Amino acid sequence: MFNPRRLSLARMRRRLTAKALSEMTGLAADTISRLENGNNPPDEATVEKLAKALGFPVDFFSDGEPEDINTDAVSFRSFSKMSAKERDAAISAGCLGLELGRWVEERFSLPKPNLLDLSYETNPEAAAIALRQYWGLGERPISNMLALLETQGIRLFSLSENTASVNAFSFWRDEKPFVFLNNFKTAESSIYDSAHELGHLVMHKHGDPKETRSAEREANSFASAFLMPAKDVRSRAPRRINVESILAIKGRWRVSAMALAYRLNALGLLSEWQYKSTCIDLGRRGYRVGEPQGIERETSIIWRKLLAQLWSERTTKNDIAKSLHMPLDELEGLIWNLAGPDPRPPGAIRRELREVK
């Protein structure tokens, strides 16, 4: 039977209003509204029109109830800059990501979540130190933040939003932590965003992180402290800190020049005047909107292994998408840039997806 909630999901994912969808399909706007409200189930011809306009398989609209995400429990980075359409599209991507995640976990054993509940901690620096100690990281830099999060049981997905307004978001579902990252920005920004979301996951697990600016400041401070431990930064910072020295050492922690300047200021190694002057200079050099001569983007270890294993069984991304009744572009968007180079051997032979018994 036709599932009205899936029509709403697909429409929001495509960033369309009911009016825009009606114009694309030739259906009346109030017809779209009635369909989404569950009134007057559509005939096959109408479903085909909707599927064609939205770019979703016809079978998608007759699947069961889609995964529901409680927006009050979602941490959005750059939430204040986000339009309603961008927010709804990102949440819809999260719903599709949950369906893909369930499909994967039915076939593979993924690492169990291994995070601390630091919701009692009011000091982000102390929270970052506690989690580093719990994970046995000491003071050393993190060579691959995404791989670290995955090994500790965080479910990672990408966002294919071509906008800087949606950087990342995270939430807990069935005691599992999820992080969705937008790779639209630099590799350094994605690393910082992932640490920011980690801060929300451990410090704001039981609250509503998007409602208070203080929670965003806490997550920022946590990310800074987690990626750039105070002792390590103090030991590596030169006696005379300037833009050139910041650019020379930022690669150790795989962070942006702006993020390192922020950390140096927080640790008292740069005065407020020096910090402002440094940011102005970095901005003039293009470091406010990008990262000239930046690092290589991190990739997921788990997604690469999963796809390699599936392809060894002749199961392609197209097979997965068909199994989920999901558009291929949406599936690829959820793992875009996460898996790295295509591990599929040349000339791989496709065959139907084998059901797991």
Side-chain angles (χ1 to χ4, degrees), residues 206-225:
H206 306 294
D208 184 352
K210 72 175 186 298
E211 289 297 328
T212 60
R213 292 184 178 180
S214 62
E216 282 298 293
R217 290 195 295 269
E218 289 174 356
N220 271 336
S221 297
F222 174 93
S224 185

Side-chain angles (χ1 to χ4, degrees), residues 119-189:
S119 52
Y120 64 88
E121 184 57 75
T122 58
N123 185 335
E125 187 91 20
I129 292 173
L131 188 59
R132 271 185 159 268
Q133 290 177 342
Y134 180 67
W135 285 349
L137 299 176
E139 298 287 329
R140 68 181 186 272
I142 298 169
S143 59
N144 189 323
M145 184 65 180
L146 297 191
L148 172 65
L149 297 183
E150 287 183 314
T151 58
Q152 302 301 334
I154 295 177
R155 278 45 175 169
L156 285 180
F157 296 88
S158 63
L159 291 168
S160 56
E161 315 305 294
N162 191 25
T163 172
S165 298
V166 187
N167 290 340
F169 66 89
S170 60
F171 56 87
W172 285 88
R173 167 61 63 90
D174 299 329
E175 293 303 309
K176 295 174 184 175
F178 289 82
V179 170
F180 288 75
L181 294 172
N182 188 358
N183 288 325
F184 179 73
K185 295 170 68 178
T186 66
E188 290 87 349
S189 294

Side-chain angles (χ1 to χ4, degrees), residues 31-333:
T31 299
I32 301 295
S33 297
R34 286 199 300 270
L35 290 175
E36 292 193 9
N37 290 329
N39 301 324
N40 301 330
D43 55 26
E44 290 184 9
T46 300
V47 176
E48 288 178 359
K49 286 182 180 180
L50 293 168
K52 182 178 180 180
L54 293 167
F56 275 71
V58 169
D59 289 340
F60 175 83
F61 300 96
S62 59
D63 281 342
E65 288 297 293
E67 294 284 353
D68 187 31
I69 295 179
N70 179 8
T71 55
D72 289 337
V74 173
S75 148
F76 270 110
R77 187 134 164 75
S78 295
F79 181 79
S80 61
K81 302 176 183 178
M82 197 182 316
S83 68
K85 282 186 180 180
E86 289 173 332
R87 172 183 170 276
D88 290 343
I91 287 292
S92 300
C95 295
L96 296 177
L98 287 175
E99 294 190 3
L100 174 57
R102 186 177 67 244
W103 186 94
V104 168
E105 298 210 33
E106 288 173 353
R107 291 156 174 79
F108 297 93
S109 296
L110 301 183
K112 294 182 179 180
N114 183 36
L115 278 69
L116 290 175
D117 184 349
L118 298 170
S119 52
Y120 64 88
E121 184 57 75
T122 58
N123 185 335
E125 187 91 20
I129 292 173
L131 188 59
R132 271 185 159 268
Q133 290 177 342
Y134 180 67
W135 285 349
L137 299 176
E139 298 287 329
R140 68 181 186 272
I142 298 169
S143 59
N144 189 323
M145 184 65 180
L146 297 191
L148 172 65
L149 297 183
E150 287 183 314
T151 58
Q152 302 301 334
I154 295 177
R155 278 45 175 169
L156 285 180
F157 296 88
S158 63
L159 291 168
S160 56
E161 315 305 294
N162 191 25
T163 172
S165 298
V166 187
N167 290 340
F169 66 89
S170 60
F171 56 87
W172 285 88
R173 167 61 63 90
D174 299 329
E175 293 303 309
K176 295 174 184 175
F178 289 82
V179 170
F180 288 75
L181 294 172
N182 188 358
N183 288 325
F184 179 73
K185 295 170 68 178
T186 66
E188 290 87 349
S189 294
S190 290
I191 291 172
Y192 194 89
D193 287 345
S194 66
H196 178 101
E197 296 307 322
L198 176 62
H200 279 308
L201 289 171
V202 297
M203 295 189 70
H204 308 133
K205 181 177 180 180
H206 306 294
D208 184 352
K210 72 175 186 298
E211 289 297 328
T212 60
R213 292 184 178 180
S214 62
E216 282 298 293
R217 290 195 295 269
E218 289 174 356
N220 271 336
S221 297
F222 174 93
S224 185
F226 189 81
L227 292 172
M228 296 167 278
K231 290 182 180 179
D232 194 40
V233 172
R234 290 183 187 279
S235 67
R236 298 286 174 168
R239 183 173 300 178
R240 182 174 179 274
I241 301 175
N242 54 28
V243 169
E244 298 302 331
S245 61
I246 288 175
L247 296 179
I249 64 174
K250 72 184 183 72
R252 174 174 175 79
W253 301 284
R254 300 173 62 77
V255 296
S256 68
M258 288 288 189
L260 179 54
Y262 172 88
R263 182 60 168 157
L264 292 169
N265 173 246
L267 293 175
L269 299 176
L270 277 181
S271 68
E272 284 297 323
W273 180 85
Q274 289 173 318
Y275 175 59
K276 290 179 182 178
S277 298
T278 298
C279 289
I280 291 173
D281 194 355
L282 287 170
R284 288 172 180 163
R285 301 188 190 200
Y287 284 90
R288 185 172 294 279
V289 295
E291 205 65 26
Q293 298 180 340
I295 63 173
E296 185 177 350
R297 189 171 295 278
E298 292 185 349
T299 57
S300 156
I301 291 177
I302 286 183
W303 274 113
R304 194 176 336 140
K305 289 183 177 180
L306 291 182
L307 291 177
Q309 176 60 34
L310 288 168
W311 276 321
S312 73
E313 300 171 1
R314 305 298 188 265
T315 299
T316 68
K317 284 186 282 189
N318 196 49
D319 293 321
I320 301 171
K322 287 182 178 179
S323 178
L324 289 166
H325 301 153
M326 186 183 297
L328 181 60
D329 69 304
E330 290 297 334
L331 173 67
E332 291 183 325

